[in-house]
């Protein structure tokens, strides 16, 4: 497939969506959007400024204070959420083509995103209908119960890897809870976010509940974080940006939920199912082009199987098909943007001084015709990487992995915990006692034992250390977007000290 695929009816200009209307920036500002296969501009997008964020927040505030959404019954809101889910599934093919075109993700990996996004809306629809709140009674003395109330306007800032699906992670629980929202999607990948407006409108979501402002993080994102009428910020992205947002939220004491970077270890013990561990650790770092926060980008392997593991892993990595993201046989596509490509290639060069290159190490050969300038990186494997190496410590966010040997369980744990991050960890062993104890001791918000990253939507999602603040997923998401007000009623005689009597 040498001719570069372009989706039909591709928009050439992307607007904001505020108060139920598509609009340009008040000052007319725009930015260019690139296609990562050719690195050519294919569209412009309205670049939101403070004035545009003000307009969106005002629309969301009006919908929260005077609109029907926050006070509708859970069942009535759930009916709308189900219509949203059905509309997302109906758009699956279109969405996958747009997502692949905009992000460079392989089409087969983009296809599952619509189903997962739809499931988020169904899941939270079910959750709000089934939810019950605490009531505590002391017979004849006191009754206490909880009122759960949506907090207000939620500011949602989302990343450029699997953008549509990750937007659904925030949109579904915030809207289900009765909040109104302003979404600021990543500037590298605004295309699929433009689908939300029509999906929501046709599903019957009242105007002003969902607002979208495109723009650069330092402009639109910054204005949203600092806005005094936005009491909540949910952010997924890079850790240093998270620190900046944390500082800026302090002024107005905003609630924050942050899912940040990762440098997650995959620990493979000698007694592991070798073939399953190879399959999983390859998929864990090279799926989604390596652009995933939970990527198992450090593989720690027990010494007796280390050489065999490195040899097998490298041979498989060399065999991964890199190419046109729209080709169904492609396993690794183009990185999202030249800026990110340059960062990843910089780490590849650093790695050559810090480890032994056993696969990749540069651009792939035999790229499709017309895609020679695309942001392609060959799946790259470094072996014998020391724990103080930059490629061991720093998040690369691309198809690059570091493999390091260990001799004892204690050394494996020390290596696993030896970074500032703590998002995920993957443990491969058939020793049940070791698996559970290691999971308990590893510094990670999420651990997978003998499994790749498969997640139940009811379970908490989040990291420790520099990988995050707070948890989302299941009821924890609802907790973030709602206030829990305690109401106390006395059922018996009131015995109060009589001051001043």
């Amino acid at each position: 497939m040498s001719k570069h695929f372009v989706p039909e009816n591709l928009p050439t200009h992307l607007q904001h969506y505020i108060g139920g209307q598509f609009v340009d920036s008040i000052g007319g500002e725009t930015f260019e959007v690139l296609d990562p296969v050719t690195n050519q501009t294919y569209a412009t997008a309205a670049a939101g400024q403070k004035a545009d964020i003000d307009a969106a927040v005002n629309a969301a505030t009006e919908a929260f204070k005077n609109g029907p959404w926050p006070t509708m019954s859970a069942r009535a809101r759930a009916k709308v959420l189900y219509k949203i889910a059905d509309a997302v599934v109906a758009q699956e093919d279109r969405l996958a083509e747009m997502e692949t075109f905009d992000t460079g993700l392989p089409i087969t990996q983009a296809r599952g995103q619509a189903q997962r996004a739809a499931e988020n809306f169904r899941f939270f629809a079910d959750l709000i209908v089934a939810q019950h709140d605490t009531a505590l009674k002391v017979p004849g003395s006191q009754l206490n119960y909880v009122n759960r109330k949506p907090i207000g306007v939620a500011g949602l800032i989302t990343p450029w890897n699997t953008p549509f699906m990750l937007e659904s992670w925030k949109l579904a629980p915030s809207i289900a809870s009765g909040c109104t929202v302003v979404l600021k999607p990543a500037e590298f990948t605004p295309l699929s976010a433009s689908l939300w407006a029509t999906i929501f409108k046709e599903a019957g979501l009242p105007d002003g509940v969902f607002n979208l402002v495109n723009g650069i993080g330092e402009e639109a994102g910054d204005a949203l974080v600092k806005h005094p009428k936005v009491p909540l910020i949910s952010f997924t992205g890079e850790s240093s940006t998270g620190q900046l947002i944390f500082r800026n939220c302090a002024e107005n004491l905003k609630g924050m939920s942050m899912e940040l970077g990762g440098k997650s270890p995959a620990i493979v013990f000698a007694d592991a199912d070798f073939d399953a561990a190879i399959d999983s650790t390859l998929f864990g770092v090279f799926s989604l082009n390596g652009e995933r926060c939970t990527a198992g980008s450090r593989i720690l392997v027990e010494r007796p199987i280390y050489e065999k593991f490195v040899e097998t892993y490298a041979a498989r990595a060399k065999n991964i098909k890199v190419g046109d993201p729209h080709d169904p046989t492609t396993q690794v596509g183009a990185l999202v943007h030249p800026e990110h490509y340059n960062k990843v290639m910089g780490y590849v060069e650093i790695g050559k001084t810090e480890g032994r290159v056993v696969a990749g190490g540069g651009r792939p050969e035999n790229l499709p015709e017309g895609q020679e300038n695309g942001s392609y990186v060959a799946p790259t494997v470094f072996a014998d990487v020391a724990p103080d190496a930059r490629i061991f410590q720093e998040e690369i966010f691309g198809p690059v992995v570091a493999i390091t040997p260990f001799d004892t369980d204690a050394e494996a744990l020390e290596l696993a915990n030896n970074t500032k991050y703590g998002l995920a960890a993957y443990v491969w062993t058939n020793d049940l006692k070791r698996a559970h104890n290691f999971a308990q001791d590893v510094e990670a918000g999420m651990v997978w034992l003998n499994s790749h990253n498969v997640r139940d939507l009811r379970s908490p999602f989040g990291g420790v250390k520099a990988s995050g603040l707070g948890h989302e997923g299941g009821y924890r998401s609802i907790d973030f977007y709602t206030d829990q007000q305690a109401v106390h009623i006395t059922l018996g005689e009131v015995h109060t000290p009589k001051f001043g009597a």
Side-chain angles (χ1 to χ4, degrees):
M1 191 181 281
S2 58
K3 191 170 188 315
H4 178 37
F5 176 86
V6 177
E8 287 180 14
N9 304 318
L10 195 66
T12 55
H13 181 61
L14 301 168
Q15 295 180 290
H16 311 307
Y17 184 74
I18 297 175
Q21 302 292 322
F22 286 102
V23 293
D24 277 320
S25 290
I26 291 166
E29 298 88 351
T30 63
F31 64 95
E32 294 186 342
V33 188
L34 304 184
D35 138 36
V37 159
T38 63
N39 282 324
Q40 300 295 308
T41 300
Y42 73 87
T44 55
Q49 310 295 310
K50 185 176 181 298
D52 306 297
I53 291 290
D54 281 343
V57 171
N58 288 340
T61 304
E62 172 63 23
F64 185 76
K65 288 188 170 170
N66 301 315
W69 189 252
T71 55
M72 281 166 65
S73 72
R75 174 65 73 192
R77 285 206 300 269
K79 282 181 178 174
V80 176
L81 295 171
Y82 262 97
K83 285 183 184 170
I84 291 168
D86 291 343
V88 168
V89 172
Q91 291 260 21
E92 180 170 18
D93 290 341
R94 169 95 174 137
L95 169 63
E97 287 177 356
M98 289 172 79
E99 201 79 311
T100 291
F101 182 81
D102 201 28
T103 64
L105 290 179
I107 188 76
T108 51
Q109 294 168 42
R111 283 210 189 283
Q113 307 295 326
Q115 296 288 350
R116 188 69 164 170
E119 186 52 31
N120 277 314
F121 282 92
R122 291 196 191 100
F123 174 82
F124 284 106
D126 293 343
L127 209 58
I128 57 170
V129 171
Q131 182 161 349
H132 62 92
D133 276 306
T134 315
L136 307 165
K137 189 176 180 184
V138 182
S141 174
Q142 197 176 45
L143 170 67
N144 308 286
Y145 67 88
V146 172
N147 277 331
R148 194 180 280 271
K149 302 191 281 188
I151 290 179
V153 178
L156 313 178
I157 302 174
T158 51
W160 45 255
N161 59 325
T162 64
F164 191 85
M165 196 271 290
L166 287 176
E167 287 151 13
S168 77
W169 273 22
K170 299 182 190 300
L171 288 167
S174 56
I175 290 171
S177 300
C179 289
T180 59
V181 305
V182 178
L183 170 67
K184 205 298 279 182
E187 56 263 36
F188 285 173
T189 55
L191 183 60
S192 60
S194 64
L195 294 173
W196 286 118
T198 310
I199 287 170
F200 286 148
K201 184 97 165 176
E202 290 176 356
L205 192 72
D207 289 347
V209 175
F210 167 75
N211 303 275
L212 166 73
V213 178
N214 288 303
I216 311 298
E218 292 82 352
E219 296 168 356
D222 188 61
L224 183 58
V225 165
K226 291 175 177 170
H227 204 290
K229 288 186 189 170
V230 178
L232 291 174
I233 295 291
S234 178
F235 170 73
T236 299
E238 195 262 331
S239 296
S240 58
T241 310
Q243 290 174 305
L244 179 64
I245 289 173
F246 200 146
R247 282 193 287 272
N248 288 334
C249 282
E251 184 72 26
N252 290 298
L253 297 173
K254 292 175 190 262
M256 280 179 298
S257 177
M258 295 205 191
E259 195 261 283
L260 305 175
K263 192 73 182 174
S264 300
I267 303 97
V268 184
F269 289 92
D271 69 340
D273 179 330
F274 185 86
D275 293 338
I278 286 281
D279 289 343
S280 179
T281 50
L282 280 158
F283 183 81
V285 79
F286 296 125
S287 57
L288 305 180
N289 299 347
E291 297 165 328
R292 56 187 305 166
C293 50
T294 52
S297 54
R298 294 181 297 138
I299 305 176
L300 313 175
V301 183
E302 197 170 3
R303 187 84 61 181
I305 60 164
Y306 179 74
E307 287 305 330
K308 179 188 173 190
F309 187 94
V310 169
E311 189 181 327
T312 309
Y313 194 94
R316 287 276 294 275
K318 288 174 186 169
N319 208 29
I320 289 172
K321 172 139 190 233
V322 185
D324 188 334
H326 285 94
D327 182 339
T329 65
T330 291
Q331 294 168 318
V332 170
L335 297 193
V336 69
H337 190 276
E339 192 179 300
H340 184 60
Y341 167 84
N342 290 335
K343 175 194 162 188
V344 172
M345 286 301 260
Y347 274 112
V348 169
E349 290 309 306
I350 291 166
K352 289 174 182 175
T353 69
E354 295 182 328
R356 172 165 60 101
V357 183
V358 292
R363 285 177 65 78
E365 296 170 3
N366 309 318
L367 284 168
E369 184 187 340
Q371 300 186 22
E372 296 84 0
N373 296 321
S375 295
Y376 289 103
V377 176
T380 297
V381 183
F382 292 102
D384 314 338
V385 179
D388 61 349
R390 285 185 63 187
I391 60 166
F392 189 95
Q393 291 290 337
E394 299 174 24
E395 184 177 43
I396 299 171
F397 219 65
V400 182
V401 68
I403 309 182
T404 302
F406 68 85
D407 290 296
T408 64
D409 289 32
E411 186 189 2
L413 185 67
E414 186 184 344
L415 287 169
N417 291 340
N418 177 25
T419 72
K420 67 178 183 178
Y421 296 107
L423 190 57
Y426 307 87
V427 182
W428 287 87
T429 176
N430 280 314
D431 181 334
L432 200 59
K433 201 182 340 181
R434 168 199 275 155
H436 288 293
N437 286 329
F438 201 96
Q440 176 78 38
D441 294 337
V442 74
E443 292 166 355
M446 298 167 287
V447 183
W448 279 270
L449 302 178
N450 298 323
S451 165
H452 66 280
N453 186 323
V454 226
R455 186 173 154 258
D456 186 316
L457 290 177
R458 294 169 296 182
S459 60
F461 188 100
V464 297
K465 302 196 291 191
S467 287
L469 185 75
H471 285 86
E472 295 188 32
Y475 284 121
R476 291 164 181 83
S477 294
I478 303 289
D479 286 345
F480 177 68
Y481 293 107
T482 54
D483 276 321
Q484 297 170 59
Q485 177 194 57
V487 180
H488 306 272
I489 308 130
T490 299
L491 300 177
E493 293 298 310
V494 182
H495 300 288
T496 310
K498 298 187 185 301
F499 277 28

